Amino acid sequence: DGGITQSPKYLFRKEGQNVTLSCEQNLNHDAMYWYRQDPGQGLRLIYYSQIVNDFQKGDIAEGYSVSREKKESFPLTVTSAQKNPTAFYLCASIPPIGASTGELFFGEGSRLTVL
Amino acid sequence: AQTVTQSQPEMSVQEAETVTLSCTYDTSESNYYLFWYKQPPSRQMILVIRQEAYKQQNATENRFSVNFQKAAKSFSLKISDSQLGDTAMYFCAFMTLTKSSGDKLTFGTGTRLAVRP
């Protein structure tokens, strides 16, 4: 079945370590997104990519990095520069313009805890 | 920049009753989409309902309907005949489909709804 797969579902990290969250989709969607979810703050956009080899910063990009080498994959690296990385991270994608109703398709999320 | 405001952090409703969740937004765009997403305890985001700004008719999906007031920039969600499975966090969201906005979805802070048996 088509969908978005995020891994790992749970991740623990020591302070000062970088960690990469995986996001893979087989929906043939062009645009992909990373959101961070914290209690009481809703979902905030970290990075997004509308096409392979191109991506833009969202509202809270500091301390994060991404790559988009393949259409299917949009990994997020949480670097040691991120001051408060403990959060729930959601990856999403959207169909191509013309086929889109604006609805985002979400993965199941990754919970990162810094020890 | 677009903003979405949900002024009710938590709400509670008796099973089979009706509840309305509020959402207001701010934008200078004229063409956009509005959404309500549901996030149950599993944390999987599920689309509940969608409204195109150019449509005057309010969207309806079974027990879920919206009251879209474009001039007031208001987009409330009404849940009729509430069921225990409706217990979840509900997010209002906004998206423009223009090159300048980059097709970004902006979310509100969410309303946690509890349905009481």
Side-chain angles (χ1 to χ4, degrees), chain A residues 21-32:
Chain A
L21 308 180
S22 170
C23 178
E24 303 279 331
Q25 55 101 355
N26 60 3
L27 300 167
N28 199 34
H29 289 176
D30 291 317
M32 297 184 73

Side-chain angles (χ1 to χ4, degrees), chain A residues 33 35 37 40-43 45 48 50 59 88 90 94 97 100-108 111, chain B residues 33 35 37 39 42-47 50 89 91 95 97 99 101-110:
Chain A
Y33 304 80
Y35 286 89
Q37 185 176 12
Q41 297 198 52
L43 276 71
L45 183 64
Y48 65 103
Q50 294 184 284
D59 302 317
F88 186 67
L90 280 163
I94 193 169
I97 293 174
S100 175
T101 58
E103 176 187 356
L104 253 62
F105 291 74
F106 285 89
E108 294 185 338
R111 174 73 185 174
Chain B
Y33 289 120
F35 306 86
Y37 281 88
Q39 188 181 43
S42 68
R43 306 202 81 168
Q44 176 69 54
M45 294 288 282
I46 302 165
L47 178 67
R50 178 178 59 91
M89 185 74 106
F91 291 100
M95 174 183 271
L97 293 178
K99 287 189 184 298
S101 71
D103 302 348
K104 294 182 292 182
L105 198 64
T106 301
F107 288 86
T109 53

Side-chain angles (χ1 to χ4, degrees), chain B:
Chain B
Q2 288 85 16
T3 60
V4 178
T5 302
Q6 293 179 251
S7 58
Q8 306 152 313
E10 294 186 1
M11 293 196 72
S12 178
V13 64
Q14 193 74 32
E15 194 175 8
E17 299 284 301
T18 295
V19 64
T20 299
L21 308 183
S22 302
C23 174
T24 59
Y25 59 94
D26 188 24
T27 183
S28 58
E29 303 284 345
S30 59
N31 189 24
Y32 49 86
Y33 289 120
L34 291 161
F35 306 86
W36 279 98
Y37 281 88
K38 168 184 176 181
Q39 188 181 43
S42 68
R43 306 202 81 168
Q44 176 69 54
M45 294 288 282
I46 302 165
L47 178 67
V48 175
I49 200 164
R50 178 178 59 91
Q51 174 84 41
E52 292 97 330
Y54 67 88
K55 289 187 177 178
Q56 291 187 332
Q57 186 172 6
N58 289 325
T60 299
E61 289 287 342
N62 300 314
R63 298 182 294 107
F64 299 88
S65 61
V66 298
N67 183 4
F68 174 46
Q69 302 288 330
K70 191 172 184 178
K73 295 180 181 175
S74 171
F75 184 61
S76 60
L77 174 69
K78 186 172 82 170
I79 305 174
S80 304
D81 185 25
S82 297
Q83 299 176 0
L84 296 178
D86 295 333
T87 293
M89 185 74 106
Y90 287 82
F91 291 100
C92 179
F94 171 100
M95 174 183 271
T96 56
L97 293 178
T98 62
K99 287 189 184 298
S100 61
S101 71
D103 302 348
K104 294 182 292 182
L105 198 64
T106 301
F107 288 86
T109 53
T111 297
R112 186 175 301 280
L113 176 67
V115 180
R116 306 185 306 272

Side-chain angles (χ1 to χ4, degrees), chain A residues 1-107:
Chain A
D1 282 11
I4 299 178
T5 301
Q6 288 187 240
S7 62
K9 198 166 186 175
Y10 300 96
L11 186 62
F12 297 89
R13 183 194 99 176
K14 292 182 181 179
E15 279 193 37
Q17 288 182 334
N18 291 357
V19 63
T20 297
L21 308 180
S22 170
C23 178
E24 303 279 331
Q25 55 101 355
N26 60 3
L27 300 167
N28 199 34
H29 289 176
D30 291 317
M32 297 184 73
Y33 304 80
W34 274 105
Y35 286 89
R36 170 178 171 144
Q37 185 176 12
D38 296 283
Q41 297 198 52
L43 276 71
R44 294 181 291 166
L45 183 64
I46 305 171
Y47 267 98
Y48 65 103
S49 168
Q50 294 184 284
I51 198 169
V52 174
N53 292 324
D54 187 44
F55 48 83
Q56 288 80 39
K57 293 182 179 180
D59 302 317
I60 56 165
E62 185 175 351
Y64 299 97
S65 66
V66 293
S67 62
R68 188 83 189 278
E69 297 177 2
K70 298 186 302 180
K71 188 175 186 177
E72 302 79 15
S73 180
F74 190 42
L76 173 74
T77 297
V78 184
T79 75
S80 56
Q82 168 50 234
K83 301 295 183 195
N84 185 21
T86 294
F88 186 67
Y89 293 88
L90 280 163
C91 180
S93 68
I94 193 169
I97 293 174
S100 175
T101 58
E103 176 187 356
L104 253 62
F105 291 74
F106 285 89

